[in-house]
Amino acid sequence: MNAPERFLLPDIQARVDLRQLAINKVGVKGLRYPLALLDASGKVQNTVARLSMSVGLPPDVKGTHMSRFVEILERRRPPLNVNRLLRIFDDMLLRLDAQSGEIELAFPYFINKVAPVSGVESLLDYDVRMIVAKREGRAAQLTLEVVAPVTSLCPCSKEISDYGAHNQRSHITISARLRAGMTPDELVRLAEDEASCEVYGLLKRPDEKWVTERAYDNPKFVEDLVRDIALRLMSEPRIARWTVASENFESIHNHSAYAEISGENGGDAGFDAESA
């Protein structure tokens, strides 16, 4: 097919739709794509993201241009940070001639951990989501979410037992709507600081002794975990709204203990790209 013939093909999706029903979100979902990220140290980390990209569709437009979502990803770009994600988002709205839209990326993120006694280094993986969304007539909002695995030790078990105490691995989820730039590392660090003990990818025997005793000296109920983290989130000016949840995978029951707190820090303003 030569070029003149190609441009004569009908564009059905650009036709007028007579049903007059606007669509809130239309786009692509479940798209896996390689992703280069800038981590907290400024180094490039390569991962694979699962993406959803959507825009709002006016009531008189039959369909959106699905191929353009992938074309946006195929453009050569520098490694991603929050400011660059916002530029991709703006590009998407421009290319799709849209006034509202959303991009969501979910990916494994790795942080280098140093064992507390031996100093051996290892990578630990965390689940991260980044969501940038805009409603018509409003500023874009950016949400950062991390899931951090930690250790929690039961205060009641410690109190009533002659020796030992049961502990569990917990997943702490922090979702923060940002006013200004933060990295996943910062939210992870906040969660780990308030746990009975953090977890590591690699430990030697002296390290295992240290983390066991650290958890024993720092018992936390699931309620303690979310309350202590909530206090930290409340004092963070870069966060507009937040939710913290902890699921403790019980070692003496076949169910989990769970707690969740949400709050906001003085209003839900849009993301300030200049401060990122």
Side-chain angles (χ1 to χ4, degrees):
M1 180 184 299
N2 58 41
E5 290 174 332
R6 177 168 60 88
F7 288 115
L8 289 174
L9 293 176
D11 186 358
I12 302 298
Q13 62 200 15
R15 292 180 178 175
V16 174
D17 194 282
L18 301 178
R19 287 164 289 189
Q20 291 297 299
L21 289 173
I23 296 178
N24 294 33
K25 294 182 180 182
V26 57
V28 296
K29 189 174 184 179
L31 173 64
R32 287 196 295 182
Y33 204 82
L35 182 67
L37 295 165
L38 281 180
D39 65 19
S41 66
K43 296 180 179 178
V44 177
Q45 181 175 143
N46 292 297
T47 185
V48 176
R50 184 176 292 273
L51 291 97
S52 297
M53 304 172 70
S54 63
V55 294
L57 195 68
D60 59 338
V61 179
K62 188 171 186 63
T64 193
H65 297 273
M66 293 292 184
S67 63
R68 293 183 184 177
F69 292 105
V70 180
E71 288 175 352
I72 291 165
L73 296 177
E74 289 291 341
R75 291 183 57 185
R76 290 187 176 274
R77 301 179 186 271
L80 195 69
N81 59 16
V82 290
N83 264 352
R84 290 167 183 168
L85 176 58
L86 285 169
R87 284 197 282 271
I88 293 173
F89 180 74
D90 289 340
D91 187 22
M92 180 186 75
L93 295 185
L94 182 64
R95 291 289 310 280
L96 276 300
D97 193 23
Q99 302 300 312
S100 64
E102 181 175 295
I103 296 178
E104 177 180 333
L105 305 90
F107 51 89
Y109 184 81
F110 292 85
I111 296 177
N112 186 59
K113 304 293 291 288
V114 179
V117 180
S118 68
V120 296
E121 298 185 12
S122 60
L123 293 174
L124 194 66
D125 62 298
Y126 302 83
D127 290 330
V128 174
R129 284 201 309 155
M130 298 173 69
I131 305 169
V132 57
K134 181 183 182 302
R135 293 168 60 185
E136 186 171 355
R138 302 186 64 177
Q141 295 179 325
L142 193 145
T143 300
L144 176 63
E145 181 180 290
V146 301
V147 180
V150 300
T151 295
S152 57
L153 185 134
C154 178
C156 183
S157 175
K158 177 180 177 180
E159 183 68 23
I160 65 177
S161 301
D162 292 333
Y163 48 87
H166 79 82
N167 57 22
Q168 48 269 322
R169 188 158 53 89
S170 305
H171 282 178
I172 294 175
T173 302
I174 300 176
S175 179
R177 182 163 292 171
L178 302 182
R179 289 194 182 97
M182 295 186 74
T183 65
D185 309 63
E186 292 177 280
L187 291 183
V188 166
R189 185 72 263 158
L190 191 153
E192 291 178 337
D193 284 348
E194 300 303 330
S196 294
C197 188
E198 59 188 284
V199 301
Y200 299 83
L202 177 61
L203 295 171
K204 297 297 185 180
R205 279 178 294 177
D207 303 309
E208 187 173 348
K209 177 179 185 297
W210 188 94
V211 299
T212 301
E213 293 172 347
R214 162 67 178 167
Y216 189 79
D217 292 337
N218 190 32
K220 295 280 183 92
F221 288 124
V222 68
E223 298 92 336
D224 296 319
L225 287 172
V226 296
R227 283 174 169 151
D228 290 342
I229 294 170
L231 289 174
R232 295 279 298 275
L233 294 170
M234 290 168 65
S235 64
E236 175 50 71
R238 293 174 293 176
I239 295 176
R241 299 180 66 182
W242 50 267
T243 298
V244 54
S246 181
E247 181 176 4
N248 293 9
F249 302 98
E250 295 279 11
S251 60
I252 62 170
H253 304 296
N254 195 26
H255 59 259
S256 298
Y258 182 81
E260 179 178 316
I261 303 179
S262 297
E264 62 179 63
N265 300 343
D268 192 11
F271 184 82
D272 182 6
E274 296 299 323
S275 63

